[in-house]
Amino acid sequence: MKKIIAVLAFTAVLCSFASCGNDVADEISEEFSVTSVSEEVTEEETTEEVTESETDEVTEEETDGKESENITESAEKLSAEGSYEEAIEMLVECINNKDAEGMISLVFPDRYYNVIEIIAEMNGVSLDEVADDMYDTSNESLRLAEIISDEPITDDYMVLINEMYGGFQAISDYIEKNGSENIDYDEFAEAIDMSDLKPYFEISDGHLVNCIFESENKNGEKDTYEQELIMYYIDGEGWKTDLFMMGYIKKAKQASINSGAATMYKASAASLTELDEPDVELPETCIISSDHNRSYNVNDDFVSQFEERLENFFSDYKEYNYFIVIQNGTAVYTAITKSENLQYIGTYPANKIYSADNEYVTKDEKITYDEIYNICLEQLK
């Protein structure tokens, strides 16, 4: 049932009333106040499920019909066919006007509009109530101030978009087959849980856009904030502004780097076991680092022997900046990152910071790799 819970959270993403949860995504500002769906996906699920579907695409004939009929007139009118900047401006206008139908039509692919309606109904809420939770009601207005960066979305983003909207496709197919009035929850859940579908649409263009927004509250107080958006274009539908995919992607990337840290930990433990021979003295307490200048309380000869074994167990270890904390001759903690993506730091145990008294503390998401290293070094001295 884990997948159905995650998918239901996706479809109720704009609504905090849903039973799946009502955490706010860290990556999305309070002005948008979008419910986090990424919190509903465990690291294990994300790591396992973020793969490209091998199933055949659903044909146009299979997806035409009831879904298209259920798209409201408002959704059709708000198709953003110009530039992606114009699409963002349209969405901002809908937010300022508290236009629920417009917001949903500019965020979700057209054929999933009825999915949002039905899931909202299943949770006993209206689209207006959904809209009430899409923005900070203390704000009088929101404005796109500046686009500060723009880069094409990469293949990993495409995979994640397909993965997420594959769940929407399963719901849409179920509704088309059975009708919105004849939903059996158990069958509904099973259909989604067993699904490995691709969404009906193809993305012809996509951008990761970093924006500056300005908001003004009812007291006339203004605030600016930076926000990343995924903009993607669907032929025949126009630009979509994804408000919550960034949270899902960041969770997936964090889960992946944590998985790498766990592999590093297991490989380190195996390497130390191999080195535990009569002619090799294991250090009691030390740090072994990819930057040898940061290795602590250990000689170069031991580090060299350790790395030879480490490569046997984890051939990709050189792709990471890493350090390994060894206590009483045993690996007890690892931290890794990649030079091209320093904001993602994987640790084992996951999302924890080492403590010499074994009272590990939760890793703050804003802490840097260097700061974690310095904390661990102080704990060993």
Side-chain angles (χ1 to χ4, degrees):
M1 288 292 290
K2 290 180 179 179
K3 187 173 181 181
I4 176 63
I5 292 172
V7 172
L8 288 174
F10 288 146
T11 57
V13 67
L14 306 178
C15 175
S16 66
F17 303 96
S19 59
C20 300
N22 49 11
D23 294 330
V24 176
D26 295 335
E27 295 77 13
I28 298 177
S29 68
E30 291 180 359
E31 282 76 9
F32 285 103
S33 187
V34 180
T35 303
S36 171
V37 298
S38 58
E39 296 296 337
E40 300 295 338
V41 186
T42 65
E43 290 178 359
E44 180 181 354
E45 285 180 295
T46 310
T47 305
E48 291 175 355
E49 291 187 8
V50 179
T51 55
E52 210 166 357
S53 173
E54 297 295 328
T55 58
D56 295 333
E57 294 180 30
V58 178
T59 66
E60 284 292 325
E61 288 148 0
E62 290 172 322
T63 54
D64 283 337
K66 292 182 182 178
E67 290 176 324
S68 299
E69 292 170 5
N70 282 330
I71 300 171
T72 68
E73 184 179 351
S74 173
E76 292 173 349
K77 286 182 179 178
L78 286 177
S79 176
E81 291 289 349
S83 67
Y84 69 71
E85 183 174 358
E86 291 172 333
I88 297 173
E89 295 280 12
M90 289 176 67
L91 180 62
V92 168
E93 183 178 355
C94 288
I95 291 172
N96 289 333
N97 293 333
K98 299 176 175 54
D99 177 0
E101 293 181 350
M103 284 185 261
I104 293 170
S105 67
L106 291 171
V107 169
F108 292 96
D110 288 353
R111 290 178 181 168
Y112 301 146
Y113 187 96
N114 65 319
V115 173
I116 305 301
E117 287 184 306
I118 289 171
I119 296 298
E121 289 173 8
M122 289 174 66
N123 286 280
V125 298
S126 67
L127 289 183
D128 285 339
E129 288 173 302
V130 171
D132 285 342
D133 203 53
M134 287 180 68
Y135 50 81
D136 184 348
T137 54
S138 68
N139 288 329
E140 287 289 339
S141 65
L142 183 68
R143 183 177 71 87
L144 174 63
E146 182 184 1
I147 293 177
I148 56 178
S149 68
D150 167 12
E151 58 186 72
I153 57 175
T154 55
D155 289 344
D156 60 336
Y157 283 82
M158 293 289 195
V159 169
L160 289 168
I161 289 171
N162 283 333
E163 162 66 24
M164 187 183 70
Y165 281 117
F168 278 73
Q169 188 65 48
I171 297 173
S172 182
D173 289 352
Y174 178 89
I175 293 169
E176 182 182 2
K177 179 181 178 181
N178 297 281
S180 60
E181 304 300 322
N182 301 300
I183 295 177
D184 178 286
Y185 185 80
D186 290 335
E187 290 182 2
F188 185 68
E190 184 178 356
I192 298 167
D193 207 37
M194 299 299 291
S195 170
D196 194 20
L197 296 177
K198 285 185 178 180
Y200 70 88
F201 59 85
E202 292 286 343
I203 295 174
S204 58
D205 191 11
H207 299 260
L208 182 61
V209 183
N210 206 9
C211 306
I212 300 292
F213 287 95
E214 180 183 85
S215 63
E216 182 176 352
N217 66 21
K218 294 175 180 179
N219 298 321
E221 298 169 334
K222 294 183 178 180
D223 186 30
T224 59
Y225 61 94
E226 189 173 321
Q227 175 70 49
E228 281 185 308
L229 298 171
I230 296 176
M231 304 297 301
Y232 60 95
Y233 190 87
I234 301 174
D235 288 336
E237 297 186 20
W239 289 100
K240 301 295 178 181
T241 305
D242 199 293
L243 293 180
F244 63 95
M245 188 70 190
M246 286 306 304
Y248 182 72
I249 286 173
K250 288 181 179 181
K251 272 291 182 182
K253 288 189 174 183
Q254 185 61 54
S256 178
I257 197 77
N258 279 344
S259 177
T263 302
M264 180 74 74
Y265 168 81
K266 293 172 185 176
S268 299
S271 299
L272 290 170
T273 299
E274 277 202 359
L275 283 169
D276 190 11
E277 300 171 354
D279 58 337
V280 178
E281 183 178 352
L282 293 179
E284 280 293 306
T285 300
C286 70
I287 292 177
I288 297 176
S289 173
S290 54
D291 178 354
H292 290 178
N293 292 324
R294 287 187 158 191
S295 292
Y296 168 73
N297 201 32
V298 63
N299 61 51
D300 291 341
D301 181 57
F302 182 84
V303 171
S304 177
Q305 293 183 70
F306 175 83
E307 289 178 340
E308 285 180 12
R309 272 82 176 171
L310 186 64
E311 186 163 15
N312 293 332
F313 295 105
F314 188 23
S315 60
D316 294 334
Y317 83 97
K318 291 181 180 178
E319 294 180 7
Y320 299 95
N321 302 324
Y322 67 86
F323 68 87
I324 303 152
V325 177
I326 296 173
Q327 189 174 15
N328 299 322
T330 303
V332 293
Y333 184 79
T334 56
I336 68 172
T337 188
K338 287 191 173 183
S339 299
E340 67 272 17
N341 227 347
L342 292 173
Q343 72 266 39
Y344 295 105
I345 304 161
T347 64
Y348 186 87
N351 303 318
K352 297 291 184 181
I353 297 179
Y354 168 77
S355 175
D357 60 7
N358 292 322
E359 296 292 331
Y360 290 13
V361 297
T362 301
K363 175 174 70 70
D364 185 283
E365 64 175 17
K366 294 182 180 179
I367 198 169
T368 68
Y369 173 80
D370 289 342
E371 288 170 339
I372 295 174
Y373 169 83
N374 289 331
I375 291 171
C376 293
L377 182 61
E378 285 300 317
Q379 289 289 311
L380 294 183
K381 288 184 176 179

